[in-house]
Amino acid sequence: MNSLVYLRRMIINQKPARLDYTKGSVTKSIYYERAGFEGSHNEVAQKLREVFEADSVNVVTSTDFNPLTNKRVFAPQAISSALAGYTFNAEMRASLLSFTMRLPPLIVRLYPMQRYAFQDNSAYMKMHMQYQHNGSFRMQSYVSQAENTRDEIVRLRVMMATYILGLIAPMNAPRNEDHQVTQSMLQRNAPQSRKRKTSILSRIIDRIRGL
Amino acid sequence: MTEEKQIVKLVITGPVNAGKTTMVQNLSDSQIAATDVAATDQVSQLKAMTTVGLDFGILKIDDSLEMHLFGTPGQARFNFMWKILSKGAIGAIFLVDSTSDESMLEMKKMFEYFSEHVDLPVVVGATKQDLPGAKSPDEIAALLELGDTMVIPVDARVKEGSKMLALTLLGNALVEAQAGEEEFDDDDYDYDELF
């Protein structure tokens, strides 16, 4: 499932990139930039489904691309469309379950996916509620609690959407770093500053949960 | 030498009579400083007392960290205060009265200013959802043109509701911050690393 990793990094990076993917002997590409994936709604959804099932994937980041069209599909909309009614065979299911097993304890971001017609929004809401209730989220438990095959498909689609769009992240922030907050600290982009920020946020979340 | 305590801010704002003062109280563990006075303008039709300065509360996080909660006056004419409040802030919670058209109008002005001038994680809490005529969170999001900002129904009078809203804001900010740590170069496309 390296295609999920590549898609996530493309989207989080927000930089122009081209994703080349191969299925069988056919290689195709999809172009991405901050405004979204290049192409019409249907084209992008179809290509993303092909990316999910690709044998190999490669990403090239560059600002030198010459897009064929001005049409862009915003990432949440594109992923929602690609996953609408998406089902998979036994091999794909096995890959997705294997991928799920590798995910660490997670934090979950609440994002208005319903505004992008995400069909599995209610399952996503339940996922966020589980996170809110427990303070961390185990994707493995969430998927294994599926009541039937259809429910498992829905939960795996939610896993795919939240992972690709960066709505889940590992719960591994350092909690007790000694440092001094300055006014600019929370606004700087240096990695060290972000680590400090995640430490502060984690400590505040723990405290508020205990109120 | 004594270690200096770290202080971060959480801003709770929104139009008049949406529940900001109550939320600051719910999330603070120290005595709140409220600057309520008798309302004299149109606000007097909504409630007897209104906040003219800042509601202020402190939540001690641990021995070296405090969160200061600021409840800001609910009129757009106080927007200028954002410049000061946003420094060192970790996020902002907007509260809006779901039943009031005036509240929506005021909120729209406030949020437009916020979007243009302030770069902070934000969530919107839609209060009074249990009252007749309350607009749904999706209606509010569309009416106020909130973009990707999450609108969450909340009962500001209940402590659990205040906690839930704050935890949603902070959880979102944490995911964003964590994702921000995932910067990589072309060579880093190693799919064994999931994050």
Side-chain angles (χ1 to χ4, degrees):
Chain A
M1 288 319 306
N2 54 347
S3 58
L4 303 190
V5 179
Y6 282 50
L7 281 171
R8 176 188 173 94
R9 291 181 177 180
M10 270 176 80
I11 290 170
I12 287 178
N13 246 15
Q14 298 275 300
K15 292 173 187 163
R18 191 189 72 228
L19 186 146
D20 301 325
Y21 60 97
T22 304
K23 177 77 176 172
S25 58
V26 181
T27 298
K28 295 183 186 175
S29 300
I30 185 166
Y31 175 82
Y32 176 81
E33 62 181 8
R34 196 182 185 91
F37 290 95
E38 181 200 29
S40 71
H41 201 89
N42 288 340
E43 285 168 355
V44 168
Q46 179 59 34
K47 282 190 172 183
L48 285 174
R49 287 184 175 200
E50 290 170 357
V51 171
F52 297 155
E53 296 172 9
D55 299 324
S56 64
V57 180
N58 187 41
V59 170
V60 182
T61 53
S62 169
T63 53
D64 269 351
F65 296 130
N66 294 310
L68 299 172
T69 167
N70 289 328
K71 288 180 188 169
R72 297 287 181 275
V73 184
F74 189 45
Q77 177 74 66
I79 298 298
S80 296
S81 300
L83 290 174
Y86 181 63
T87 56
F88 23 80
N89 60 23
E91 187 186 350
M92 181 74 175
R93 174 179 176 267
S95 297
L96 288 169
L97 289 174
S98 168
F99 185 87
T100 301
M101 292 305 135
R102 294 168 55 204
L103 293 170
L106 300 164
I107 47 179
V108 182
R109 180 180 173 186
L110 192 57
Y111 187 81
M113 288 297 288
Q114 77 279 9
R115 291 179 211 160
Y116 301 100
F118 182 50
Q119 283 188 352
D120 304 315
N121 194 60
S122 60
Y124 166 50
M125 290 290 111
K126 284 178 192 162
M127 172 179 161
H128 186 264
M129 280 172 64
Q130 273 191 26
Y131 161 68
Q132 285 276 48
H133 185 260
N134 299 324
S136 72
F137 182 78
R138 300 292 307 210
M139 192 67 83
Q140 297 88 336
S141 307
Y142 174 72
V143 172
S144 66
Q145 286 162 4
E147 292 172 4
N148 50 47
T149 307
R150 192 185 164 282
D151 190 27
E152 185 190 86
I153 290 171
V154 168
R155 289 174 191 235
L156 285 172
R157 287 198 303 239
V158 172
M159 182 278 288
M160 293 170 77
T162 54
Y163 178 80
I164 293 169
L165 292 171
L167 303 181
I168 53 176
M171 186 163 231
N172 61 0
R175 304 238 160 188
N176 268 314
E177 288 182 11
D178 282 337
H179 60 86
Q180 186 169 329
V181 174
T182 65
Q183 289 182 342
S184 61
M185 188 209 83
L186 294 171
Q187 293 157 2
R188 285 200 308 261
N189 284 326
Q192 190 60 26
S193 167
R194 275 201 291 269
K195 282 195 172 66
R196 289 172 180 168
K197 187 176 178 181
T198 57
S199 166
I200 286 172
L201 289 167
S202 298
R203 289 152 69 194
I204 297 172
I205 286 170
D206 286 348
R207 176 71 178 89
I208 290 179
R209 286 180 61 78
L211 276 178
Chain B
M1 198 171 110
T2 311
E3 189 187 334
E4 196 172 329
K5 187 162 279 190
Q6 304 161 34
I7 294 169
V8 292
K9 297 180 200 165
L10 176 66
V11 184
I12 299 170
T13 190
V16 172
N17 203 27
K20 300 180 294 295
T21 301
T22 310
M23 182 165 280
V24 171
Q25 287 170 333
N26 281 338
L27 294 174
S28 302
D29 57 9
S30 67
Q31 188 66 39
I32 189 166
T35 47
D36 283 6
V37 298
T40 54
D41 53 10
Q42 302 97 310
V43 174
S44 61
Q45 293 164 23
L46 296 169
K47 57 180 184 177
M49 305 292 280
T50 193
T51 306
V52 290
L54 291 168
D55 288 323
F56 177 68
I58 297 175
L59 181 65
K60 183 181 173 187
I61 306 301
D62 52 37
D63 288 342
S64 60
L65 178 63
E66 274 183 4
M67 183 165 75
H68 289 186
L69 296 104
F70 292 88
T72 69
Q75 291 96 339
R77 65 176 183 265
F78 290 108
N79 276 342
F80 70 93
M81 292 171 76
W82 275 114
K83 193 173 177 184
I84 305 153
L85 287 170
S86 60
K87 285 179 184 168
I90 52 170
I93 294 174
F94 277 78
L95 293 178
V96 62
D97 177 347
S98 309
T99 66
S100 164
D101 290 339
E102 290 80 12
S103 189
M104 296 291 162
L105 278 173
E106 194 72 12
M107 169 76 184
K108 192 164 186 176
K109 286 185 225 164
M110 294 176 76
F111 198 80
E112 277 173 5
Y113 183 92
F114 176 86
S115 302
E116 284 173 21
H117 296 89
V118 186
D119 182 21
L120 283 178
V122 58
V123 292
V124 175
T127 60
K128 306 184 186 180
Q129 284 279 306
D130 55 324
L131 295 183
K135 290 184 174 57
S136 72
D138 280 345
E139 286 174 319
I140 292 169
L143 194 67
L144 302 179
E145 299 173 11
L146 294 180
D148 287 343
T149 302
M150 201 69 209
V151 183
I152 301 163
V154 64
D155 186 342
R157 298 164 301 181
V158 180
K159 190 167 190 169
E160 284 305 311
S162 301
K163 282 172 60 179
M164 180 270 296
L165 202 57
L167 287 172
T168 300
L169 171 75
L170 296 164
N172 283 2
L174 184 56
V175 175
E176 275 183 46
Q178 293 275 59
E181 288 179 23
E182 289 178 43
E183 282 188 354
F184 55 95
D185 300 321
D186 285 359
D187 296 340
D188 291 337
Y189 273 94
D190 173 5
Y191 99 92
D192 284 336
E193 297 288 337
L194 298 185
F195 293 98

